[in-house]
């Protein structure tokens, strides 16, 4: 098979320094559909992003031309599939700027990546009385795996507080770090508030005490250029579906030395180099952590999504989304009865808000009738809701295919909500 089978051209014609959003939108077939008779306005990108045709095509090509299992067969289809899957791993390696390709582990998503570290590194290193540090704005996926570990080991979860803007309190964090701290695990971007955490400083402070750091990058990777070597994080977790790739595939990046010493997370095929009833010798990295048939099409689709993102350019995406965010924030804050939850100085492209006297679910239902998809609820971050003493928020989250016009429609929708619930 040609290695370039799934390489999407970078389409330089699309971009003239800034984004040509109307051309980009043509790549996303779903954006042409109607919802309740109105054009779809998809502002739920933090939950999952839409897929460009190039990703859909990569999946169709896999299933229609070379579907087979990987790392196993001697037949042509198997070697084509293996080559495409491993090429996708190489794309991820370059995307996050890992040092070694074997530091890239395919998992189901950010949730599984964090559970892998908790169950493997955590169970190996955490003892009774030890402490794990997280922040007060974590997704449940970066809380519960640590609670399970702490309960099993008699360890303690310490939580770095946030201020009323939703900003990480660095001084409080430094006070929590001590000789019992075994791991720090924080989000790069909060899914409920949009705050960008000061991860470089967080990592630096932990490393001064020889404490490794996991960064939950589920909400960061779609919006900014990543460089795990520059960050010097020890682990980084990603979800493919938020990165314009398929669901059911994600990435755990880990530093080679740490991964190499960690015990397997699950046992099964592919993670072994030999098995007898007496003894199993585990496979080398990254396969030691990839038991069973992986989501082959998903990995290949994620590779296609990365090609697409590289074509658009992460820097272009970040700049354009900051414009959208600024416009949405300014206009929503100017509407009476609207309160923005999460006003950190450094934010990625989402706005959580409430409308005084209206339950967020009602906001979501009214907007849905206008064809506008947002997420409402606690966003799997209940402690954040408790911190702001609210049950839920409405959350509009933007991608590079969204437009100012769509945000205009959101604003009109919010005005309609206010009229209806006067
Ligand atoms: N947040 C949201 O609407 P999975 O489900 O494994 O792909 O990602 C979990 C996850 C982990 N960390 C953060 C910061 C996240 O935002 C998410 C997923 C979605 O906010 C679905 S709950």
């Amino acid at each position: 098979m040609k290695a370039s089978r799934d390489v999407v051209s970078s389409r330089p014609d699309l971009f003239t320094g800034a984004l040509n959003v109307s051309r980009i939108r043509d790549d996303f077939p779903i954006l042409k559909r109607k919802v309740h008779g109105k054009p779809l306005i998809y502002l739920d990108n933090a939950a999952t992003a839409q897929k460009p045709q190039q990703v859909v095509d990569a999946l169709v090509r896999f299933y229609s031309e070379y579907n087979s299992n990987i790392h196993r067969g001697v037949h042509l289809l198997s070697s084509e599939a293996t080559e495409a899957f491993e090429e996708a791993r190489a794309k991820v390696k370059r995307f996050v700027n890992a040092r070694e390709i074997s530091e890239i582990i395919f998992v189901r998503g950010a949730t599984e990546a964090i559970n892998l570290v908790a169950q493997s590194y955590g169970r190996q290193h955490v003892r009774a009385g030890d402490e794990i540090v997280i922040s007060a704005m974590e997704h449940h996926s970066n809380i519960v795996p640590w609670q399970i570990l702490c309960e099993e080991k008699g360890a303690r979860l310490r939580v770095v507080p946030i201020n009323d803007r939703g900003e990480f309190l660095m001084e409080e964090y430094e006070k929590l770090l001590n000789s019992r701290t075994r791991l720090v695990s924080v989000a790069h971007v909060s899914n409920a508030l949009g705050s960008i955490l000061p991860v470089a400083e967080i990592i630096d402070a932990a490393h001064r005490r020889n404490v490794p750091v996991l960064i939950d990058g589920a909400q960061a990777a779609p919006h900014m250029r990543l460089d795990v070597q520059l960050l010097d994080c020890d682990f980084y977790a990603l979800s493919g579906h938020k990165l314009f790739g398929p669901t059911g595939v994600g990435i755990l990046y880990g530093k080679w030395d740490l991964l190499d010493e960690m015990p397997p997370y699950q046992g099964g095929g592919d993670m072994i180099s030999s098995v007898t009833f007496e003894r199993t010798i585990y496979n080398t990295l990254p396969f030691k952590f990839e038991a069973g048939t992986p989501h082959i099409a998903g990995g290949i689709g994620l590779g296609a999504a990365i090609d697409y993102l590289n074509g658009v350019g992460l820097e272009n995406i970040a700049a354009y989304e900051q414009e959208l965010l600024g416009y949405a924030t300014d206009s929503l804050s100017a509407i009476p009865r609207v309160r923005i939850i999460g006003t950190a100085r450094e934010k990625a492209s989402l706005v959580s808000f409430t409308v005084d006297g209206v339950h967020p679910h009602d906001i979501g239902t009214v907007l849905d009738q206008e064809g506008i998809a947002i997420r409402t609820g606690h966003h799997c971050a209940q402690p954040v809701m408790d911190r702001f003493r609210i049950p839920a928020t409405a959350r509009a989250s933007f991608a590079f295919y969204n437009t100012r016009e769509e945000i205009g429609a959101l604003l009109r929708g919010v005005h309609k909500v206010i009229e209806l619930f006067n």
Side-chain angles (χ1 to χ4, degrees):
M1 186 194 79
K2 275 251 173 298
S4 61
R5 182 192 286 271
D6 290 301
V7 176
V8 178
S9 82
S10 61
R11 303 190 59 181
D13 59 312
L14 265 184
F15 311 108
T16 52
L19 301 192
N20 183 338
V21 177
S22 64
R23 289 286 298 278
I24 286 173
R25 291 177 67 85
D26 285 343
D27 287 332
F28 290 80
I30 208 169
L31 298 180
K32 293 192 175 63
R33 74 160 282 181
K34 295 215 159 141
V35 169
H36 305 305
K38 311 241 168 81
L40 167 66
I41 296 180
Y42 187 77
L43 303 179
D44 195 15
N45 295 285
T48 195
Q50 298 303 346
K51 321 303 173 199
Q53 188 63 48
Q54 289 83 340
V55 168
V56 178
D57 288 347
L59 299 177
V60 171
R61 270 199 305 276
F62 171 72
Y63 284 121
S64 53
E65 293 177 20
Y66 60 106
N67 170 53
S68 55
N69 213 326
I70 57 170
H71 304 144
R72 289 160 167 85
V74 292
H75 59 79
L76 183 70
L77 262 54
S78 179
S79 66
E80 287 183 0
T82 303
E83 194 185 326
F85 189 74
E86 291 307 322
E87 190 184 317
R89 195 192 304 274
K91 289 174 189 176
V92 176
K93 177 216 174 238
R94 290 192 291 275
F95 185 69
V96 302
N97 193 31
R99 194 184 306 268
E100 305 283 340
I101 195 163
S102 51
E103 294 175 322
I104 304 297
I105 294 157
F106 278 108
V107 289
R108 279 190 297 137
T111 302
E112 189 174 46
I114 298 167
N115 276 279
L116 191 163
V117 176
Q119 289 300 309
S120 173
Y121 183 88
R123 288 173 98 189
Q124 188 179 40
H125 291 274
V126 174
R127 306 265 172 277
D130 287 348
E131 296 180 355
I132 310 274
V133 174
I134 62 171
S135 88
M137 54 186 149
E138 299 308 320
H139 185 278
H140 297 164
S141 293
N142 198 25
I143 301 173
V144 186
W146 306 115
Q147 286 175 327
I148 294 171
L149 177 70
C150 287
E151 198 167 322
E152 180 187 320
K153 296 290 187 172
R156 191 171 168 208
L157 195 60
R158 308 296 308 266
V159 182
V160 182
I162 55 176
N163 64 18
D164 290 341
R165 304 174 75 110
E167 290 168 331
F168 183 89
L169 293 176
M170 203 63 201
E171 281 178 20
E172 300 300 318
Y173 166 60
E174 297 248 11
K175 279 188 222 157
L176 283 181
L177 292 172
N178 62 53
S179 61
R180 294 178 299 275
T181 314
R182 288 292 157 268
L183 192 92
V184 172
S185 187
V186 292
H188 198 160
V189 169
S190 153
N191 71 314
L193 302 172
S195 325
I196 300 177
L197 281 79
V199 285
E201 289 97 308
I202 291 171
I203 293 165
D204 194 45
H207 283 181
R208 274 186 264 122
R209 293 158 179 90
N210 289 323
V211 175
V213 181
L214 183 154
I215 304 292
D216 170 5
Q219 295 293 349
H223 306 295
M224 58 187 76
R225 173 138 338 265
L226 297 180
D227 187 332
V228 291
Q229 289 189 69
L230 195 66
L231 270 183
D232 198 26
C233 56
D234 300 278
F235 301 104
Y236 199 96
L238 294 177
S239 281
H241 67 98
K242 295 187 202 287
L243 258 182
F244 312 93
T247 51
V249 68
I251 296 296
L252 173 68
Y253 156 81
K255 281 184 182 162
W256 197 91
D257 291 349
L258 289 173
L259 291 174
D260 190 50
E261 282 187 4
M262 284 160 52
Y265 166 56
Q266 294 178 330
D270 231 20
M271 53 73 71
I272 54 89
S273 70
S274 77
V275 178
T276 64
F277 287 119
E278 288 68 44
R279 180 158 182 246
T280 289
I281 299 175
Y282 304 133
N283 208 338
T284 52
L285 289 174
F287 312 110
K288 181 174 81 173
F289 292 110
E290 294 180 356
T293 302
H295 186 358
I296 305 168
I300 293 168
L302 177 57
I306 286 175
D307 286 335
Y308 188 86
L309 283 170
N310 287 337
V312 180
L314 264 300
E315 286 75 12
N316 294 332
I317 290 172
Y320 177 67
E321 289 182 351
Q322 283 299 316
E323 272 177 42
L324 290 182
L325 176 67
Y327 174 51
T329 306
D330 293 347
S331 351
L332 277 168
S333 356
I335 302 178
R337 288 173 58 189
V338 170
R339 176 184 168 208
I340 295 193
I341 308 294
T343 50
R345 278 155 283 206
E346 299 283 326
K347 273 186 76 172
S349 80
L350 68 85
V351 188
S352 257
F353 62 96
T354 57
V355 175
D356 189 28
V358 188
H359 194 281
H361 288 325
D362 291 329
I363 303 175
T365 307
V366 173
L367 292 178
D368 177 54
Q369 289 304 313
E370 301 300 312
I372 305 170
I374 60 160
R375 183 169 174 192
T376 62
H378 54 58
H379 314 294
C380 302
Q382 282 183 341
V384 174
M385 302 300 123
D386 294 345
R387 167 65 178 75
F388 288 90
R389 295 198 180 78
I390 48 175
T393 74
R395 183 188 71 182
S397 51
F398 315 115
F400 55 88
Y401 43 63
N402 290 126
T403 62
R404 279 177 80 90
E405 291 69 34
E406 290 182 316
I407 292 174
L410 170 71
L411 299 170
R412 287 194 295 282
V414 172
H415 278 293
K416 190 166 184 179
V417 168
I418 290 172
E419 275 163 32
L420 285 170
F421 291 86
N422 213 339

